[in-house]
Amino acid sequence: MQTKLIRADEPTALADAARCLAGGGLVVFPTETVYGLGANALDEAAVRSIFAAKGRPSDNPLIVHIHDVRQLDGLVSAIPPMAQRLMDALWPGPLTLVLPRSGAVPDVVTAGLATVAVRMPSHPVAQALLRLANIPVAAPSANTSTRPSPTTAQHVADDLWGKVDYIVDGGACDVGLESTVVDVTGERPVILRPGGVPKEALEAACGMAVGTDPGLTKPDAVPKSPGMKYKHYAPRCEMAVVTGAHIQEGVTALLEENTGKRIGVLTAGPHQYANAAYTVDGGGTPEAYAHALFAALRDMEAHGVELIVAELPFGEDGLAPAVRNRIRKSAGGNVIET
Ligand code: TXA
Ligand code: MG
């Protein structure tokens, strides 16, 4: 397949990409979280080609992207009051709601579940494309399965060149990690995947306590969101995360134990380690770190790093739980407590 890389501000770029989407093609587009690999959610063959392009297991359902709440009519069978409050306050934005599905949604989108995940992105390019195509668009993150999610068009091209029709370049994504996935089919909202909307914002919006799927943290519980059980966000090299009260001592010790290796350090602030071959400053807040994380992993690979060591100092506020979730998975659970 011939891939066309287009800039969102070229004259007919979005109209061409929208026509391709509506006609069953694969179009990668920027969102405020990460780049998405889109296809017409109501076209079973088009959705199947998403799974083929990514090498994604077919039991991992997709998020359907919309630009107008009226599109929900054709996708879901009910909108619980708590879901309505979350949508009113936080859409468009990095929030995905898991709702009871309608019969019109093909099984291939939902992996046969009784629910469908829906999100309304706030990125102006995503909104414009969705409006022009005027169809619900199924879109996972636009990376090869198991790789770090893409936050620039270059990341997408590195993974999916020749496997998609269009890549729409809209610059670097703001948030840098994916949307918060919230199940609103029970008595109260439950976070199935932490992401771009913090728990505090969800609770303020719906006026009730929000739970977290025990499958996210308990080793013996199965996550309710199928995607959370897979290997994910992994760089091609080894990776370790250092957390706890003495992070810089922990990183220094790791550097000393691995002197033969080319080590890259993802720091949470502007400090340097003498033995590090390459350093990326993730910034001192969870938000800055979220923005830097996936790009840093790919950048380290490109610089021939053999072992990535990431500092993780954050508590529970803001995007900290999402950062912790992604980075633990990137490192395959190789987390060192200091
Ligand atoms: O920010 C995002 O959410 C990005 C952008 C492109 O919108 N998309 C994204 O999609 O991260 P993906 O496919 O990489 O992750 C979707 C997650 C997976 O963990 C999947 O299992 C879960 O959402 N999911 C989808 N439908 C679900 C459902 N009906 N019930 C539970 N989890 C669901
Ligand atoms: Mg993904």
Side-chain angles (χ1 to χ4, degrees), residues 23-310:
L26 290 182
V27 174
V28 175
F29 58 97
T31 83
E32 69 279 20
T33 56
V34 301
Y35 275 75
L37 166 53
N40 182 350
L42 304 178
D43 178 339
E44 196 179 318
V47 175
R48 278 193 200 293
S49 64
I50 292 179
F51 287 87
K54 275 182 68 90
R56 180 178 174 110
S58 60
D59 66 347
N60 192 4
L62 305 177
I63 296 171
V64 179
H65 296 65
I66 59 173
H67 66 278
D68 187 323
V69 283
R70 282 173 294 188
Q71 291 173 288
L72 286 171
D73 284 349
L75 299 171
V76 309
S77 60
I79 301 177
M82 65 181 146
Q84 189 65 54
R85 288 198 290 274
L86 290 169
M87 282 179 215
D88 290 346
L90 298 165
W91 274 5
L95 169 68
T96 295
L97 296 175
V98 172
L99 290 154
R101 73 187 270 198
S102 97
V105 182
D107 274 342
V108 60
V109 172
T110 65
L113 296 175
T115 53
V116 60
V118 188
R119 141 163 151 80
M120 185 188 290
S122 64
H123 194 294
V125 173
Q127 289 209 347
L129 180 71
L130 291 168
R131 193 169 303 116
L132 284 165
N134 201 26
I135 42 164
V137 171
S141 50
N143 52 289
T144 298
S145 218
T146 80
R147 298 274 298 143
S149 299
T151 59
T152 67
Q154 185 60 53
H155 298 158
V156 177
D158 291 343
D159 278 17
L160 297 178
W161 195 260
K163 296 182 173 175
V164 299
D165 294 293
Y166 282 93
I167 299 172
V168 182
D169 186 351
C173 302
D174 267 359
V175 180
L177 50 72
E178 300 85 343
S179 61
T180 306
V181 178
V182 181
D183 181 0
V184 284
T185 62
E187 276 175 17
R188 61 178 183 142
V190 176
I191 295 174
L192 304 186
R193 176 180 73 180
V197 175
K199 185 173 180 169
E200 310 85 90
L202 296 172
E203 293 186 330
C206 67
M208 61 206 287
V210 170
T212 301
D213 179 13
L216 289 179
T217 45
K218 297 223 170 63
D220 48 342
V222 179
K224 227 182 142 189
S225 186
M228 302 309 287
K229 66 176 187 273
Y230 291 109
K231 177 179 172 182
H232 215 329
Y233 320 115
R236 292 201 175 91
C237 59
E238 268 183 87
M239 179 167 168
V241 179
V242 183
T243 189
H246 307 283
I247 291 174
Q248 296 193 22
E249 290 87 330
V251 173
T252 304
L254 260 184
L255 280 159
E256 277 164 13
E257 284 159 26
N258 290 278
T259 40
K261 284 186 191 145
R262 192 172 158 75
I263 302 180
V265 185
L266 176 56
T267 59
H271 48 274
Q272 298 269 345
Y273 293 90
N275 300 335
Y278 192 71
T279 304
V280 177
D281 179 3
T285 63
E287 288 68 31
Y289 201 92
H291 177 78
L293 175 60
F294 288 141
L297 300 184
R298 287 177 181 258
D299 187 28
M300 298 253 193
E301 284 179 350
H303 281 83
V305 165
E306 294 164 296
L307 168 64
I308 298 174
V309 179

